[in-house]
Amino acid sequence: MSISLISSGGSSNTTLSSTPYPNTTYTLNLSVNVGDVVVIMPQFSDTSAYPVPSGWSNYGSSGLVWIYVVPSGVSSIGTVTLPGNTSTQFIYALFRSTLGTIVVGNMLTTTYSHGGSTAVIASGTLTSTATLLFVYDWQTPNGYSLSPYTTYTSSPSITLSYVYNLGNAGSYPGMGYADLSGATTITWNNTTGTTTYGVTIDGFLLTEGSTPAAPTLLTPTNATYEDLSGASTYTWTYNNTDGSTQAAYAFRNKIAGGSTYSYYNASTNALQTSEVWNASTTGTATLGAGLLSNGNQYNWSVATQSNYGIQGPFASDFTVVGQAAPTVTLTAPTGTITSNTAEVTWSPVFPSGAYQTAYQIWVYDLATTQATGFTVGQTTGLVWGSGLVSSNAVSALTGALPNSTTCVFYLQLTETGNELSAIVSTTATVNFTPPVAPTVVATPTTDANGTPIIEVTVTGHDNLLSANDASFEGGVGSWTARVNSTIAQSSAKALQGSYSLAVTSTAAGAFLYK
């Protein structure tokens, strides 16, 4: 910790009475660095009559305490409007941090009486990386300063340094500071005098804050595709370097190759040319519909601001391509499935220039899909799944399905850019008559050499195919070519009779028939 007092001073300049009451223009003229803290303590406590200067914050209860954290781009403090009348008084102090920014926290206000009472300005465990700034106002009719009538102790011992004491009859504002390295308590003791006077002390911790690191951009992941025709959401992780939390963010984007960024204004849901910081403690921003367009590639990034008011850098840009998601209709199966497998077929629609690169099918029984918390692809109890299949096919044959079961078939497509369609579904009931068990007959006999053998005859009693669908003696029957194939009756091969079914591929890739 290294917070230093750079400059201090005070005034009881009666020439200020020549300006109109209640405001007096006073030129402070301090050379400052970004992150410095400038403190002014006027004698007055009426903020309605003596307004806080623009850009300054008001603290304290023992009188006005104006605190100014120097923002980026400021290198000096010029004219400051101070309250004034014939007895205007004020003190000021300039503090500087080695890290560049000082964070001001209101710690404790306490009031006690002169004449033996004790007040603890700070207790408990104090940070060892802080400076205590304290201001006080002693109400007394005798014009005495605070120092002769008050002692202080601390554990372990620290040095409390007075910046200035100013006052006239009846009021004594003052300001001091102390390095709190290792301190645990600071106690003020009124040990001298017999007259009771009121004393109010405000304590503030000045801590060093460092610049947040660039946030970690999360989604949309880099070089991905998103449908940007509606609202689009961006997420990131705040990266603190000093234990701080996020208080605001700035979001920027531009069309790839462009030279000028636009900045998102969350309060107006608009993009603007100047940088804007949006108050938010969460790592998410949602741009409303109409701000971005499909067909463009965008660079986007985020910068964050800590709860200390320190603004960090933008992360390296991610890119996102605006492209409509595919839409798809499941056309089969429906109704009743009379076999133990089913052909899933679909009809997709893609935006211009895009095409299907993969599909995935999930099959669940209906009861599973109706359970609380069901999520496609995550809930256990999958009847059958295809996994992610790299293919432009528009149909697929499932594996074995349970008989007498209503199943829900889910499908999701992937198009170029790894952009996903919505998950669509259809419902069908599996209901088929399984074959009758075959008859098995074992007959003792001998082979051609007279060696005893057992001849096993298996007789099946059901053929689920028609005669022509099984033999092809009268043509191709009800078999139909599906994808990348043609079929024909062929006499080139035959198991029985004279014909078989020939399936010929017509294009690269998987082919199906039924």
Side-chain angles (χ1 to χ4, degrees):
M1 186 278 295
S2 181
I3 297 176
S4 303
L5 175 67
I6 302 300
S7 179
S8 65
S11 172
S12 56
N13 189 349
T14 57
T15 62
L16 300 180
S17 62
S18 62
T19 60
Y21 180 90
N23 289 330
T24 295
T25 299
Y26 175 76
T27 303
L28 196 56
N29 290 330
L30 292 176
S31 177
V32 295
N33 293 339
V34 174
D36 286 355
V37 166
V38 184
V39 184
I40 294 179
M41 186 179 179
Q43 181 180 348
F44 307 100
S45 59
D46 185 355
T47 56
S48 60
Y50 309 106
V52 181
S54 176
W56 293 63
S57 298
N58 182 48
Y59 291 86
S61 61
S62 63
L64 290 180
V65 183
W66 295 342
I67 297 179
Y68 182 70
V69 180
V70 179
S72 176
V74 176
S75 58
S76 64
I77 300 294
T79 301
V80 179
T81 300
L82 297 174
N85 57 21
T86 56
S87 60
T88 295
Q89 299 181 31
F90 65 90
I91 56 177
Y92 77 86
L94 169 63
F95 293 92
R96 180 163 296 162
S97 162
T98 56
L99 293 181
T101 298
I102 299 176
V103 182
V104 182
N106 199 345
M107 185 174 64
L108 179 67
T109 296
T110 184
T111 301
Y112 63 92
S113 300
H114 174 65
S117 62
T118 299
V120 178
I121 182 66
S123 62
T125 301
L126 301 177
T127 175
S128 60
T129 59
T131 290
L132 170 67
L133 166 66
F134 56 93
V135 294
Y136 53 87
D137 187 7
W138 189 309
Q139 301 296 328
T140 170
N142 300 320
Y144 294 117
S145 65
L146 179 64
S147 300
Y149 289 93
T150 302
T151 61
Y152 59 85
T153 60
S154 65
S155 176
S157 177
I158 61 172
T159 300
L160 294 175
S161 304
Y162 290 123
V163 175
Y164 250 91
N165 283 312
L166 290 173
N168 59 7
S171 181
Y172 284 83
M175 186 188 304
Y177 72 101
D179 181 347
L180 295 185
S181 298
T184 56
T185 60
I186 302 171
T187 304
W188 296 74
N189 303 299
N190 292 332
T191 58
T192 306
T194 58
T195 305
T196 298
Y197 305 124
V199 178
T200 301
I201 300 175
D202 293 312
F204 305 89
L205 283 178
L206 306 182
T207 56
E208 293 176 314
S210 57
T211 302
T216 301
L217 304 185
L218 300 178
T219 60
T221 54
N222 193 29
T224 192
Y225 286 62
E226 288 278 326
D227 185 358
L228 301 180
S229 60
S232 55
T233 298
Y234 303 81
T235 63
W236 62 90
T237 299
Y238 175 74
N239 293 319
N240 80 81
T241 54
D242 55 3
S244 62
T245 58
Q246 178 184 302
Y249 71 90
F251 177 95
R252 73 181 186 188
N253 75 344
K254 66 177 181 178
I255 294 178
S259 58
T260 304
Y261 285 100
S262 295
Y263 299 87
Y264 178 59
N265 188 326
S267 63
T268 61
N269 188 38
L271 292 169
Q272 60 186 60
T273 56
S274 57
E275 185 175 285
V276 59
W277 289 88
N278 304 293
S280 176
T281 58
T282 63
T284 181
T286 299
L287 277 63
L291 298 186
L292 306 178
S293 301
N294 288 332
N296 294 321
Q297 177 174 307
Y298 294 93
N299 295 91
W300 70 275
S301 184
V302 172
T304 52
Q305 175 179 301
S306 74
N307 60 313
Y308 297 153
I310 309 172
Q311 297 170 357
F314 280 93
S316 298
D317 286 356
F318 271 16
T319 63
V320 58
V321 178
Q323 177 178 265
T327 59
V328 59
T329 301
L330 263 175
T331 55
T334 59
T336 300
I337 303 168
T338 58
S339 68
N340 68 339
T341 62
E343 186 178 21
V344 182
T345 62
W346 57 91
S347 177
V349 177
F350 302 100
S352 177
Y355 54 87
Q356 178 181 312
T357 60
Y359 68 83
Q360 186 162 5
I361 300 170
W362 301 266
V363 183
Y364 290 89
D365 66 79
L366 181 61
T368 299
T369 68
Q370 294 175 335
T372 301
F374 171 76
T375 302
V376 176
Q378 298 182 24
T379 299
T380 58
L382 190 68
V383 170
W384 180 83
S386 67
L388 185 64
V389 180
S390 297
S391 171
N392 63 354
V394 293
S395 64
L397 192 65
T398 71
L401 304 175
N403 197 11
S404 303
T405 303
T406 299
C407 293
V408 184
F409 299 77
Y410 295 92
L411 170 74
Q412 185 174 52
L413 301 185
T414 305
E415 71 179 9
T416 47
N418 290 327
E419 192 166 5
L420 301 175
S421 73
I423 297 176
V424 295
S425 66
T426 185
T427 301
T429 299
V430 181
N431 190 2
F432 61 90
T433 302
V436 176
T439 301
V440 180
V441 178
T443 305
T445 185
T446 57
D447 62 12
N449 298 320
T451 303
I453 61 173
I454 300 296
E455 186 178 81
V456 179
T457 304
V458 180
T459 303
H461 300 283
D462 290 294
N463 184 359
L464 299 181
L465 299 176
S466 67
N468 195 51
D469 281 351
S471 68
F472 307 108
E473 294 301 308
V476 298
S478 63
W479 293 87
T480 304
R482 290 293 190 188
V483 179
N484 298 334
S485 67
T486 60
I487 61 174
Q489 184 189 48
S490 172
S491 61
K493 298 286 184 179
L495 178 62
Q496 292 180 343
S498 302
Y499 296 97
S500 62
L501 182 69
V503 182
T504 303
S505 174
T506 60
F511 63 86
L512 296 172
Y513 62 92
K514 179 181 179 182

